[in-house]
């Protein structure tokens, strides 16, 4: 069974930085795209950033220039480096991955990690 386990969330002051990690484990044949989404209280879940198996990246306009997504394929891990954090970045951040355990590709989600930006 495939699992995504996130870490790295917490409380940070405006202008600060955090690094989120998400490791995929279990029966994995291959991993295609990986990404991060977030959901603020009372709002819909939104895309933050994605990265393909080839390393192509995509970012929400609101985080361009501040956040960087990367992955370590050998460790089945995706990272999100968040700099110049703003109160508006406060949300639960979810890891997402398109994984083929054996034959078919499925979409998986992590349990979420809270990021709070406040003074």
């Amino acid at each position: 069974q495939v699992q995504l386990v996130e870490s790295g969330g917490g409380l940070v002051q405006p202008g600060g930085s955090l690094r989120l990690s998400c490791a995929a484990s279990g029966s994995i044949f291959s991993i295609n795209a990986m990404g991060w989404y977030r959901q603020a209280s009372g709002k819909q879940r939104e895309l933050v950033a994605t990265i393909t198996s080839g390393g192509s990246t995509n970012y929400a306009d609101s985080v361009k220039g501040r956040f960087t997504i990367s992955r370590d394929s050998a460790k089945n891990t995706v990272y999100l480096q968040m700099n110049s954090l703003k109160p508006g970045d406060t949300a639960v951040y979810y890891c997402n991955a398109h994984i083929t355990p054996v034959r078919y590709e499925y979409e998986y989600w992590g349990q979420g990690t809270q990021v709070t930006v406040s003074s």
Side-chain angles (χ1 to χ4, degrees):
Q1 184 163 349
V2 174
Q3 285 187 319
L4 299 179
V5 179
E6 300 133 336
S7 60
L11 173 64
V12 64
Q13 292 186 343
S17 298
L18 281 175
R19 189 192 194 207
L20 305 182
S21 300
C22 171
S25 63
S27 176
I28 297 173
F29 176 72
S30 65
I31 302 179
N32 197 349
M34 303 183 81
W36 292 94
Y37 290 72
R38 67 186 181 186
Q39 186 167 17
S41 180
K43 295 187 177 181
Q44 289 188 331
R45 189 174 298 188
E46 63 177 4
L47 180 147
V48 176
T50 60
I51 184 167
T52 68
S53 57
S56 297
T57 59
N58 179 53
Y59 295 93
D61 288 343
S62 60
V63 306
K64 282 181 181 177
R66 301 188 297 123
F67 291 10
T68 302
I69 189 170
S70 61
R71 65 191 284 173
D72 185 333
S73 295
K75 296 181 179 180
N76 291 336
T77 299
V78 62
Y79 305 96
L80 186 68
Q81 178 67 44
M82 304 184 293
N83 299 328
S84 303
L85 283 161
K86 306 174 182 180
D89 295 317
T90 295
V92 178
Y93 284 69
Y94 295 92
C95 175
N96 173 275
H98 293 258
I99 298 173
T100 301
V102 178
R103 184 174 181 183
Y104 299 108
E105 183 178 288
Y106 299 92
E107 184 176 32
Y108 295 88
W109 292 91
Q111 79 284 359
T113 185
Q114 177 70 45
V115 171
T116 302
V117 184
S118 175
S119 55

